[in-house]
């Protein structure tokens, strides 16, 4: 019902802008020149079929190409040629300038992050801090951000123009890097990144630009907006304060890392024995390739026990580490407290407005180094170490 008025408004809007007016003027002149040449040159001799020849002459003359294969012989035809040539010099050059200006403006708007990206299966990073480049490097090393033309990175943040230029130079992704500029809590800004078409979305805490509390609030609002725009896309986040982790879980973030928490754990391991940190570096690829791999259990492997799987994997040099249960869908009812009046009020708001209470999934469950008698039927995949290449 609303399609025709929308198309009509779009057409009228295009006709009212300078480029549309110029295009219509050139088309009008082209039609006039075609009919005029045919009328003066062909109509008197009764050759009514050569209208295409008249169109050819009009285009060649209007664009000032001037092949010379068709020349008017009548006074009326020559006057028509003079009008078309004089008008063509100004109109065509103006049209060319407008086209160039539009292309430059489009490119400038893209660099400023003001355009909606037209991508699919891309990676989105919402927010930015000093660890952003390291995240991008990790995504490259682990194959999430593939080094081909099909995988693009979209950065959504409010960085200044010179800071965006510095980030683009540092990441060195060329045309595969896209910016969306604006406040990350605004749904209209997030919508330009097309999170519904992304393969994964990361939320970085902006605690370096504001207080930790305000940064976590901003991350929470962004998570709520993203979950509404893309309820099925994996969403991983970072918080500055540990007490805010549960709030992001309730907002539908799949996995959350507390800023600095991993550093504290690693420093504790180094204090116990420095070789533990070296081992972690080897496992997660900080000293080369990532050796931890993921494999879905087949129907033939499901009836086995962990010990049987260990024997099979060790036969070709692989070392099983853990069993994995794929995440399940999580709703508001699963995370809200029945005894909390505030949580019940939140749930009632969702229900009264007709909004979905599905907020994502619980994240995978991992069982590390299970006993040999552990059955595999309740798990979906295995994490293992690939054998190191012989030297």
């Amino acid at each position: 019902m609303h399609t025709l008025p929308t198309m009509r408004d779009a057409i009228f809007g295009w006709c009212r802008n300078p480029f549309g007016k110029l295009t219509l003027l050139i088309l009008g002149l082209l039609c006039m020149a075609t009919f005029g040449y045919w009328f003066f040159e062909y109509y008197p001799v009764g050759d009514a079929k050569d209208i295409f020849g008249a169109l050819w002459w009009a285009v060649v003359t209007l664009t000032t190409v001037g092949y010379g294969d068709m020349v008017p012989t009548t006074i009326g035809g020559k006057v028509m040629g003079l009008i078309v040539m004089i008008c063509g010099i100004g109109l065509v050059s103006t049209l060319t300038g407008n086209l160039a200006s539009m292309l430059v403006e489009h490119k400038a708007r893209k660099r400023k992050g003001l355009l909606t990206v037209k991508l699919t299966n891309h990676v989105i990073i919402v927010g930015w801090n000093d660890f952003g480049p390291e995240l991008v490097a990790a995504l490259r090393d682990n194959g999430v951000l593939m080094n081909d033309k099909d995988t693009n990175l979209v950065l959504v943040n409010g960085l200044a123009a010179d800071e965006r230029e510095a980030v683009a130079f540092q990441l060195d992704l060329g045309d595969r890097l896209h910016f969306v500029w604006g406040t990350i809590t605004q749904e209209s800004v997030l919508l330009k990144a097309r999170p519904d078409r992304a393969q994964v979305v990361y939320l970085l805490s902006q605690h370096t630009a504001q207080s930790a509390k305000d940064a976590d609030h901003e991350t929470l609002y962004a998570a709520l907006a993203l979950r509404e725009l893309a309820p099925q896309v994996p969403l991983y986040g970072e918080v500055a304060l540990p007490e805010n982790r549960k709030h992001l879980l309730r907002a539908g973030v799949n996995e959350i890392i507390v800023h600095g928490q991993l550093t504290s754990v690693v420093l504790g391991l180094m204090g116990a024995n420095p070789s533990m940190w070296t081992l972690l570096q080897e496992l997660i690829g900080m000293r080369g390739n990532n050796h931890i791999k993921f494999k879905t259990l087949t129907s033939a492997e499901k009836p086995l026990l962990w010990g049987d799987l260990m024997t099979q994997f060790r036969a070709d040099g692989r070392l099983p580490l853990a069993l994995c249960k794929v995440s399940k869908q999580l709703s508001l009812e699963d995370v809200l407290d029945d005894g909390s009046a505030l949580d019940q009020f939140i749930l009632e708001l969702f229900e009264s407005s007709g909004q979905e209470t599905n907020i994502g999934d619980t994240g995978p469950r991992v069982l590390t180094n299970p006993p040999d008698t552990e059955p595999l039927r309740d798990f979906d995949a295995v994490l293992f170490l690939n054998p190191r290449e012989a030297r």
Side-chain angles (χ1 to χ4, degrees):
M1 295 293 294
H2 300 286
T3 303
L4 290 178
T6 302
M7 292 179 60
R8 181 186 61 194
D9 293 342
I11 293 174
F12 286 162
W14 179 83
C15 293
R16 285 193 293 266
N17 69 53
F19 180 78
K21 292 179 180 178
L22 183 61
T23 303
L24 290 176
L25 184 60
I26 291 177
L27 290 176
L29 180 62
L30 194 62
C31 292
M32 184 190 71
T34 301
F35 177 76
Y37 189 85
W38 174 83
F39 179 80
F40 288 115
E41 298 296 323
Y42 295 124
Y43 181 73
V45 297
D47 191 357
K49 297 184 296 183
D50 205 4
I51 191 68
F52 182 76
L55 176 62
W56 171 265
W57 174 87
V59 173
V60 169
T61 307
L62 181 65
T63 56
T64 67
V65 174
Y67 282 121
D69 55 340
M70 297 177 64
V71 180
T73 57
T74 65
I75 298 296
K78 292 178 179 179
V79 171
M80 180 63 62
L82 288 173
I83 296 173
V84 173
M85 284 185 286
I86 293 173
C87 293
I89 294 174
L91 291 178
V92 174
S93 59
T94 304
L95 180 65
T96 305
N98 273 309
L99 285 172
S101 177
M102 288 176 60
L103 292 174
V104 172
E105 182 182 359
H106 182 274
K107 189 173 183 180
R109 288 175 60 84
K110 180 181 178 182
R111 291 175 67 88
K112 292 178 181 179
L114 301 177
L115 298 178
T116 299
V117 299
K118 298 179 180 180
L119 302 171
T120 301
N121 203 37
H122 51 293
V123 177
I124 301 176
I125 298 179
V126 178
W128 195 255
N129 57 37
D130 294 339
F131 297 98
E134 296 183 15
L135 171 59
V136 175
L139 293 174
R140 280 172 143 173
D141 294 340
N142 291 284
V144 178
L145 190 61
M146 300 297 291
N147 291 321
D148 55 44
K149 295 182 179 180
D150 295 329
T151 308
N152 292 267
L153 175 65
V154 179
L155 302 183
V156 184
N157 52 60
L159 295 177
D162 55 340
E163 293 177 306
R164 293 197 302 270
E165 292 291 338
V167 170
F169 177 79
Q170 184 178 12
L171 299 183
D172 191 26
L173 288 172
D175 293 336
R176 296 165 55 206
L177 178 63
H178 306 261
F179 284 99
V180 172
W181 183 84
T183 304
I184 65 172
T185 57
Q186 293 183 358
E187 187 174 312
S188 58
V189 173
L190 296 172
L191 188 60
K192 292 180 181 179
R194 296 310 304 263
D196 56 316
R197 297 183 180 180
Q199 62 168 298
V200 63
V201 180
Y202 294 92
L203 271 169
L204 290 184
S205 174
Q206 301 189 107
H207 58 276
T208 55
Q210 54 190 316
S211 69
K213 182 179 179 180
D214 291 340
D216 283 353
H217 286 170
E218 195 172 56
T219 304
L220 175 61
Y221 298 146
L224 289 169
L226 285 166
R227 265 293 160 248
E228 183 177 350
L229 296 173
Q232 303 300 326
V233 176
L235 178 59
Y236 306 116
E238 175 191 35
V239 293
L241 301 176
E243 58 267 26
N244 291 327
R245 184 176 183 274
K246 62 181 180 180
H247 300 307
L248 263 75
L249 285 174
R250 291 180 178 181
V253 181
N254 300 88
E255 296 289 344
I256 301 164
I257 293 178
V258 179
H259 183 77
Q261 189 176 49
L262 186 59
T263 303
S264 302
V265 173
V266 170
L267 289 174
L269 288 175
M270 293 172 64
N273 193 317
S275 61
M276 292 186 181
W277 172 230
T278 305
L279 173 62
L280 285 176
Q281 288 178 303
E282 286 282 347
L283 293 179
I284 63 179
M286 294 183 66
R287 290 173 173 258
N289 295 328
N290 179 17
H291 297 292
I292 302 179
K293 303 299 178 182
F294 178 91
K295 177 185 179 298
T296 303
L297 292 173
T298 64
S299 57
E301 294 170 337
K302 284 273 191 175
L304 301 178
L305 301 177
W306 175 257
D308 303 326
L309 186 70
M310 177 74 75
T311 302
Q312 289 185 7
F313 273 56
R314 291 305 297 152
D316 56 10
R318 293 177 295 175
L319 178 61
L321 297 176
L323 290 170
C324 178
K325 177 69 176 178
V326 176
S327 57
K328 69 173 184 177
Q329 289 298 314
L330 190 68
S331 65
L332 276 176
E333 291 87 343
D334 297 323
V335 298
L336 294 180
D337 186 1
D338 293 337
S340 171
L342 178 59
D343 285 358
Q344 286 303 306
F345 176 69
I346 294 173
L347 185 58
E348 290 174 4
L349 281 180
F350 269 80
E351 293 175 347
S352 62
S353 62
Q355 296 290 327
E356 292 286 340
T357 58
N358 179 29
I359 58 174
D361 53 57
T362 58
R365 181 171 71 91
V366 175
L367 180 61
T368 306
N369 192 25
D372 290 346
T373 56
E374 181 70 33
L376 307 183
R377 61 178 177 269
D378 296 329
F379 296 90
D380 303 303
V382 58
L383 297 169
F384 65 95
L385 282 180
N386 256 348
R388 183 180 292 275
E389 295 181 3
R391 295 180 179 178

